[in-house]
Amino acid sequence: MSGYVLGFGGFLLLGGRAADLLGRRRMFVLSLAAFLVASAVGGIAANGEVLIASRFLTGVSAAFSAPAGLSIITTSFAEGPARNKALSVYSATGASGFALGLVVGGLFTELSWRWVFFAPVLMAVATLLGALWLVPRTVRPEGPRQGFDVAGAISATAAMLLLVFTLVEAPQAGWGSARTVGSLVATGLLLAVFALIERRAPAPLVRLGLLRSGPVIRANLGAMALLGSWVSCLFILTLYMQQVRGWSPLETGLAVAPSGLLVALLAPRIGAPLVGRFGAFPVTLAGLAAAALAYALLLPLGPDSAYAPAMLPTFLLVGVAFSFAYGPLNIAATNGVPAEEQGVAGGLVNTSFQLGPALVLAVVTAVDDAAAGPGTAPSDLLDGLHAALVVPLVAALIGMAAIALGGLGRSRSPRRPAHGSDSRTRQSVPAP
């Protein structure tokens, strides 16, 4: 799992820029092909080394396909109701797929763990054929072709790889260890080098003005909080259901399934209308509030808590939270961004969706380890889990603060054409 996280989180910015420069459809198709090959290799792996390598390459492939897919949508629909509706459907598919994948993964695990790798191959083949048939070819804009910021790509990718690796390994290495501290310092230096390169590069990997945009920053902080709090909560609940209660992977997946089903039903129907009426950030704030309430309801969880009164309300509220927040965050992160930077904007928000879980999960693991009892009895495990359950609640509250402090009055997105090159579109994101 860490191999996938490392490959995905480390290469998203590069994948986003590659989509902008080399063609979104081309990168989407090529990365899907690489994804299915890497996943197939994982399914036939004979040892752990091959399995980890295949997961890393699968993550890298996804890092190129995710921003390409998102930018295909944002450049195919004009900014406003049409794009909001498309992004609501896109977000509902992703969020519900994440939850329902737990059920399918649990079922496949009961049969053979290798099917966890072979099933995505079948899905990737279907998606690849659909992309070749349905995604239109785009004509490269006239004018000189932009150069590729090699130095920026190397420094950004190295910084992201090192940061994700540090967050993943910190609970085992220790947050105060020389390895963790040294890695964080090195990450900071690499990011400083990246910023210096981008300031001077004629065609930067990421225009610094994009990183200074208030709405973009708020959307990315919200993305980190939304997915970071949920993934870390799901990690705790999985330990609770399987180690404390003795449930199987399939039973655990079925317990979580209502959240995904609710997202699939609600998000395509309510996301775009709510954003059109209230704006992306107020709707996101409501979603994060639902998530915070969901995690607060878990705090009294006991060793014999019944599913319906103790856990089901949380899963339903998480479904509401993602129906409200996931789509609007994608909308807010890409609205007002010029068409030629949509891939980078998609890479940024996907990076935040990935860094959030890595960061919050690292904190959850540290808290759990510190608070757990010395034995393996349910009471010992529950001590750590109860303390760790506070972390996703705090993460959701921090996300709410980041969204609210930016000012709800400025959250409405101007409805301007996505393809236009007029001054109004370009002024929506501050210049470097």
Side-chain angles (χ1 to χ4, degrees), residues 25-363:
R25 182 182 186 273
R26 176 186 299 171
M27 294 310 304
F28 189 67
V29 169
L30 290 177
S31 58
L32 270 176
F35 180 94
L36 69 88
V37 171
S39 193
V41 170
I44 62 175
N47 56 63
E49 289 77 10
V50 174
L51 190 61
I52 293 172
S54 73
R55 288 300 288 162
F56 176 76
L57 293 175
T58 303
V60 174
S61 304
F64 282 82
S65 65
L70 179 57
S71 60
I72 285 171
I73 294 174
T74 56
T75 56
S76 298
F77 295 90
E79 192 172 301
R83 185 193 291 182
N84 293 348
K85 184 176 181 180
L87 285 176
S88 295
V89 175
Y90 165 84
S91 301
T93 305
S96 59
F98 176 81
L100 297 178
L102 296 171
V103 181
V104 179
L107 177 61
F108 286 149
T109 302
E110 299 287 344
L111 301 174
S112 170
W113 65 266
R114 296 183 185 275
W115 273 104
V116 177
F117 296 89
F118 290 142
V121 172
L122 302 178
M123 289 294 295
V125 169
T127 309
L128 180 60
L129 294 175
L132 292 172
W133 181 34
L134 297 172
V135 178
R137 297 181 182 272
T138 54
V139 179
R140 189 176 71 85
E142 297 181 0
R145 183 183 292 271
Q146 287 185 313
F148 189 74
D149 180 13
V150 177
I154 293 174
S155 58
T157 302
M160 290 297 99
L161 282 170
L162 186 57
L163 177 59
V164 175
F165 178 78
T166 303
L167 293 176
V168 168
E169 293 295 314
Q172 287 74 38
W175 283 95
S177 66
R179 172 178 162 183
T180 300
V181 173
S183 294
L184 289 174
V185 170
T187 299
L189 291 174
L190 283 169
L191 289 174
V193 170
F194 170 70
L196 183 62
I197 292 171
E198 299 309 279
R199 185 178 296 275
R200 299 180 177 180
L205 181 74
V206 180
R207 185 170 56 85
L208 294 183
L210 188 63
L211 300 178
R212 289 198 296 266
S213 166
V216 171
I217 292 173
R218 292 165 63 200
N220 280 271
L221 289 175
M224 293 178 68
L226 178 68
L227 206 61
S229 61
W230 171 229
V231 169
S232 59
C233 178
L234 189 59
F235 172 77
I236 301 167
L237 287 176
T238 300
L239 294 178
Y240 170 77
M241 288 185 279
Q242 295 189 5
Q243 293 188 1
V244 176
R245 306 298 296 274
W247 294 3
S248 70
L250 179 57
E251 289 172 323
T252 302
L254 289 171
V256 181
S259 61
L261 291 172
L262 197 59
V263 174
L265 291 173
L266 288 182
R269 294 170 174 80
I270 68 174
L274 287 175
V275 170
R277 182 171 181 179
F278 299 106
F281 286 120
V283 179
T284 298
L285 186 62
L288 284 169
L293 177 59
Y295 307 139
L297 292 177
L298 289 174
L299 294 179
L301 204 61
D304 299 311
S305 297
Y307 171 75
M311 287 178 276
L312 182 59
T314 288
F315 293 131
L316 294 177
L317 278 170
V318 167
V320 172
F322 272 81
S323 298
F324 273 68
Y326 193 66
L329 283 170
N330 280 295
I331 293 168
T334 55
N335 268 3
V337 178
E340 62 270 19
E341 292 184 323
Q342 283 292 327
V344 170
L348 279 173
V349 71
N350 274 284
T351 299
S352 297
F353 277 130
Q354 195 63 32
L355 286 180
L359 176 60
V360 183
L361 192 55
V363 177

Side-chain angles (χ1 to χ4, degrees), residues 2-25:
S2 298
Y4 180 89
V5 171
L6 190 63
F8 189 52
F11 284 84
L12 274 165
L13 287 179
L14 181 59
R17 191 56 176 155
D20 287 333
L21 292 180
L22 304 178
R24 299 176 179 95
R25 182 182 186 273

